[in-house]
Amino acid sequence: MNSFSLEKLIRQNIQQLIPYSSARSEFSGQATILLDANENSIADIGDSNYNRYPDPLQKEVKKRISELKNIQPNDIFLGNGSDEAIDLLIRMCCTPGKDNIIICPPTYGMYEVAAQINDISVRKVILKENFQLDVPGILEQINAQTKLIFICSPNNPTGNLLNEKDIETLLNSFNGLIVIDEAYIDFGQANSWISRLKEFPNMVILQTFSKAWGLAALRMGAAYASKEVIAVLNKIKAPYNINHSTQQIVSQKLSDTEDLKNSINKITQQREYLTTALCKLDKVVEIVYPSDANFLLVKVKNANDVYNYLLQHKVVVRNRSNQPLCDNCLRITIGSFAENEFLLTVLKEYK
Ligand SMILES: *Cc1c(COP(=O)(O)O)cnc(C)c1O
């Protein structure tokens, strides 16, 4: 077992920080007259309460998420997209110009960008040929300045789940935080790591409402971790990071789990259909990698050419061919039935 100490991990200035105390966090009881936050009580905004600051700790949404995910509200952080959580985790643990994080390319681009914005160096340990973690390689790269390891499962852009045993080895051998990004977890068969949160004080799980839940425009993502880690994230976040409409709409949506299941079923059916259909286009397509996400990584004969050809037909896919292990690879999101059909029709005519 490792000797994880959150106190040692968090930057000194963050430990000592006295957070901004907003009017809405100092008073949260039931009052009829709110004259504490310099809002405009007489603004004409219909019957909404857009003139009031939203709940800084999003208690209503968290209560619903806690029921849905079987997790304590205090173990939940909500951010303006999970991208906010990525940035805050880096700022919480990493001293600019000194510390580093480890990432495993090809993977989601924001880990590196968020690190660079904060002047944190990035150590890269490329995935193995089978798109699984190179565990010995990662362990070798860890030094005293390594504060976070970002792992994405199912991984973007490769679409595969990462082996549970490998992640467990890392959780057991690293004294920093292991951040497991589960943005696509709802599209596959695997269980979320949430069920093992209590076992690992150094685990942070990221999920988002932008993908399976279909709420990308609202900007809401979650981090699940020990209440101690969550308390630090809450201390350093912007006071009103999730706006009122987002809190309200997400709260409502969370009760529609049937809707969620239906759209996930449709997308996974379309994923299987699109895989089969793409494999038949052997003039263009070389490999369609198996996917536990809502996209396919597709190796083609000439990615730049196919990419531009699709663009000419007003279809945009993601060209990932400059990523390690992704030579000539395009990442294609599973769209609606009509969108997928259009894509196939266009590709059939590619010469
Ligand atoms: C899309 C995506 C996110 C970002 O989600 P937001 O909540 O919309 O910020 C995070 N991680 C991965 C791997 C993603 O693909």
Side-chain angles (χ1 to χ4, degrees), residues 81-83 108 111 152 156 181 183-184 208 210-211 219:
S82 44
D83 288 350
Y108 185 50
Y111 315 136
C152 187
N156 176 2
D181 188 339
Y184 300 98
T208 177
S210 303
K211 308 285 160 64
R219 309 305 303 131

Side-chain angles (χ1 to χ4, degrees), residues 17-53:
L17 176 76
I18 298 168
Y20 175 73
S21 178
S22 66
R24 278 307 108 82
S25 54
E26 283 185 5
F27 177 80
S28 59
Q30 293 292 314
T32 39
I33 301 186
L34 289 169
L35 303 177
D36 58 346
N38 298 348
E39 299 145 334
N40 182 345
S41 299
I42 59 172
D44 183 8
I45 32 85
D47 52 10
S48 74
N49 47 355
Y50 291 160
N51 59 332
R52 297 295 180 184
Y53 282 105

Side-chain angles (χ1 to χ4, degrees), residues 58-347:
Q58 309 100 17
K59 288 184 283 298
E60 181 59 33
V61 200
K62 283 182 185 164
K63 189 168 145 258
R64 289 177 184 242
I65 295 175
S66 78
E67 290 159 4
L68 197 72
K69 305 267 174 187
N70 195 17
I71 183 177
Q72 295 300 311
N74 285 343
D75 298 342
I76 305 172
F77 166 83
L78 295 178
N80 188 310
S82 44
D83 288 350
E84 184 185 6
I86 294 169
D87 176 62
L88 290 179
L89 285 162
I90 291 175
R91 286 198 274 154
M92 151 180 165
C93 301
C94 303
T95 302
K98 182 169 163 245
D99 291 331
N100 68 68
I101 65 164
I102 294 177
I103 65 170
C104 304
T107 194
Y108 185 50
M110 274 309 288
Y111 315 136
E112 181 167 13
V113 173
Q116 283 172 345
I117 291 169
N118 289 294
D119 194 17
I120 302 305
S121 61
V122 178
R123 298 183 156 208
K124 297 180 187 175
V125 182
I126 310 290
L127 294 175
K128 299 189 291 188
E129 287 288 329
N130 62 359
F131 297 149
Q132 290 296 328
L133 295 170
D134 170 8
V135 176
I138 294 172
L139 295 177
E140 212 176 273
Q141 281 301 311
I142 296 171
N143 70 2
Q145 267 62 60
T146 308
K147 300 300 161 85
L148 301 166
I149 300 177
F150 282 92
I151 284 166
C152 187
S153 180
N155 186 41
N156 176 2
T158 57
N160 60 299
L161 283 156
L162 299 180
N163 293 335
E164 200 171 326
K165 281 279 164 274
D166 290 346
I167 296 178
E168 202 170 321
T169 304
L170 294 176
L171 283 162
N172 283 322
S173 21
F174 181 49
N175 285 330
L177 294 178
I178 303 277
V179 184
I180 307 173
D181 188 339
E182 294 187 335
Y184 300 98
I185 191 72
D186 296 316
F187 298 106
Q189 298 301 317
N191 281 332
S192 164
W193 281 85
I194 288 178
S195 58
R196 304 188 63 186
L197 205 52
K198 294 288 171 239
E199 282 175 63
F200 303 105
N202 61 338
M203 176 162 77
V204 179
I205 297 149
L206 301 180
Q207 292 188 355
T208 177
F209 292 88
S210 303
K211 308 285 160 64
W213 286 93
L215 300 171
L218 297 181
R219 309 305 303 131
M220 196 167 109
Y224 308 113
S226 72
K227 63 178 191 305
E228 290 79 13
V229 169
I230 298 302
V232 184
L233 290 174
N234 282 331
K235 179 166 128 169
I236 63 178
K237 78 180 181 72
Y240 303 111
N241 60 330
I242 312 279
N243 73 67
H244 173 75
S245 305
T246 296
Q247 295 191 37
Q248 208 173 31
I249 300 168
V250 175
S251 287
Q252 282 165 11
K253 271 280 180 181
L254 285 172
S255 34
D256 280 342
T257 47
E258 277 308 304
D259 262 16
L260 176 74
K261 270 193 218 140
N262 284 336
S263 72
I264 291 172
N265 281 342
K266 279 186 192 145
I267 289 166
T268 47
Q269 275 165 23
Q270 282 290 300
R271 181 178 73 202
E272 304 323 315
Y273 167 72
L274 201 57
T275 303
T276 313
L278 285 169
C279 285
K280 286 185 188 143
L281 301 180
D282 53 10
K283 285 203 193 76
V284 206
V285 173
E286 299 247 312
I287 306 172
V288 182
Y289 292 99
S291 171
D292 277 299
N294 67 337
F295 56 82
L296 294 171
L297 187 71
V298 182
K299 191 180 191 101
V300 295
K301 304 258 153 119
N302 184 331
N304 293 338
D305 204 59
V306 177
Y307 177 82
N308 287 320
Y309 167 80
L310 287 173
L311 264 192
Q312 281 161 18
H313 292 82
K314 308 236 185 296
V315 179
V316 197
V317 297
R318 201 84 197 268
N319 190 348
R320 299 280 79 182
S321 53
N322 53 7
Q323 296 281 308
L325 309 179
C326 292
D327 256 5
N328 279 315
C329 283
L330 302 175
R331 192 195 69 195
I332 304 177
T333 305
I334 313 297
S336 67
F337 179 73
E339 289 169 334
N340 302 335
E341 280 304 306
F342 189 81
L343 170 82
L344 289 169
T345 310
V346 171
L347 279 180

